[in-house]
Amino acid sequence: MCCDKCPKVFHQNCHIPAISSLPDESESWQCLLCVNLKDLANNAENTQKAPGELSRLELQIMQRICLELYCQYEQSLQFREPEPPTNTAYYEIVCNPMSLDVIRSRLDPTSPNHYKDIAGFVSDVRLIFKNTYLFYQEDSKTFTNAKYLENFFEEQLSKWLPNFASKTNSNITNGSAQNTHNPNAPSVSNNSASTSSAPSPGLMNLAASGAVASPGTIATMENGRRSCSAAVSGDDDGCTPAKRLRKLTE
C-alpha cells in the first residue's frame, strides 16, 4: 500500500494497525504517520475512555510511535523479534525479554493482553533498551542501535506524550524534537490509573482552542518526521508516490 500523502509504502501486515482490506480505486488511503491526530482530538468521541481502557486517540498515538520505531529500519531490525531460544546466555541474564513484535501485538485492542494504559506501553519499550544494555557490550552494534532507538523514542514521547518523556533524556539534541511541548500535539494525561470515561482536560482544551500555530507549522509537525521524509529534496507536494495496489472492482 502506498500512502497518498507521503512516499511511504507498506505491506498490509506491516502497517500499524494492519490494513484489513485494500481500498477501491476511488478511495484514498493515508498511513498512520500522516493522520492528523489533532483532528482526532477535536472529536470528543475519540477522547472518551471506557473504564480501564484507552481512548481511541491514546491508542492511535501509541500505534503511531510504535510504527515510527519500526520505520527506523536498520536500528530497529534486531529488536523486532525476541532473542532466539538458542541464545541461552541471553536468557541467563535477561529475565523479562521484550520485543517490538510483542508490543505491537498488545496494541491490537482485540488482543486478550492489549494495553489498558499508556504507562504499560512506555514501560515495555524502555524494557527493550534496558535488556540490551544489560547483555550487550557498549562497543557492539546492537548497543549502539539501542541507544539511537532509545533517543528516538524519547523524542517521540516529548512530541506526543510529553508527560511520559524521561527527564534524563529531556535535552535530546540529535533530532528535531527536544523537551519542548508540541503545541499541536494532543495532550494526554499521565494518570494511568484513571478509569474515568470523561476525556482528558488537556484534550478538551486542545479541541476548544483550535490551531495554535500557523497552518505551515501544523503541516511541519504532521509530516516533518525523520522516518517519513520525502525521498527527494523539496516539498512533499513535488513527489509523486508510486502507484499502489488497489482492490479490483467486480
Side-chain angles (χ1 to χ4, degrees):
M1 289 286 293
C2 182
C3 179
D4 284 329
K5 287 196 172 183
C6 77
K8 282 288 183 186
V9 180
F10 297 90
H11 295 103
Q12 285 182 250
N13 291 328
C14 291
H15 187 263
I16 302 175
I19 304 167
S20 58
S21 61
L22 296 173
D24 293 322
E25 185 66 29
S26 60
E27 297 177 327
S28 63
W29 179 82
Q30 61 180 2
C31 67
L32 183 58
L33 302 181
C34 291
V35 171
N36 190 329
L37 297 179
K38 181 179 177 297
D39 287 345
L40 291 179
N42 288 334
N43 187 336
E45 291 183 359
N46 296 324
T47 61
Q48 295 291 329
K49 297 179 63 171
E53 296 291 343
L54 295 162
S55 69
R56 184 188 176 199
L57 178 59
E58 290 173 331
L59 177 61
Q60 288 219 348
I61 289 176
M62 292 159 56
Q63 288 174 331
R64 174 168 179 155
I65 293 175
C66 188
L67 184 58
E68 290 274 17
L69 292 174
Y70 273 93
C71 286
Q72 309 306 302
Y73 182 78
E74 292 184 4
Q75 290 81 10
S76 69
L77 199 58
Q78 187 167 349
F79 309 111
R80 297 184 179 190
E81 298 180 356
E83 285 281 342
T86 53
N87 189 355
T88 56
Y90 180 86
Y91 290 101
E92 288 176 357
I93 296 176
V94 176
C95 300
N96 298 303
M98 183 53 61
S99 68
L100 287 175
D101 283 356
V102 171
I103 293 171
R104 173 184 175 147
S105 68
R106 297 192 64 191
L107 287 171
D108 181 354
T110 65
S111 170
N113 195 31
H114 66 272
Y115 289 113
K116 297 182 182 295
D117 54 59
I118 298 174
F121 164 74
V122 173
S123 177
D124 279 351
V125 175
R126 287 177 175 155
L127 182 58
I128 294 177
F129 310 131
K130 178 181 178 181
N131 290 341
T132 302
Y133 305 147
L134 191 63
F135 181 77
Y136 288 94
Q137 299 293 324
E138 291 187 20
D139 58 352
S140 67
K141 184 66 173 177
T142 301
F143 191 100
T144 302
N145 286 340
K147 274 295 182 184
Y148 171 92
L149 209 62
E150 181 185 27
N151 287 340
F152 181 80
F153 175 65
E154 294 299 335
E155 289 178 14
Q156 296 303 304
L157 290 182
S158 296
K159 181 188 292 185
W160 300 110
L161 300 169
N163 290 338
F164 292 87
S166 172
K167 294 181 180 179
T168 58
N169 289 277
S170 61
N171 294 318
I172 297 172
T173 57
N174 62 339
S176 59
Q178 298 184 25
N179 196 39
T180 55
H181 176 62
N182 183 348
N184 298 302
S187 175
V188 179
S189 170
N190 64 350
N191 183 11
S192 59
S194 174
T195 58
S196 172
S197 60
S200 164
L203 295 176
M204 291 298 291
N205 292 337
L206 176 65
S209 63
V212 294
S214 65
T217 303
I218 296 174
T220 301
M221 181 276 292
E222 286 298 329
N223 298 312
R225 55 191 172 273
R226 185 184 306 170
S227 66
C228 194
S229 57
V232 295
S233 60
D235 296 335
D236 288 347
D237 293 340
C239 177
T240 303
K243 184 71 174 179
R244 71 165 185 268
L245 293 174
R246 295 183 183 273
K247 182 174 66 178
L248 296 178
T249 57
E250 297 180 356

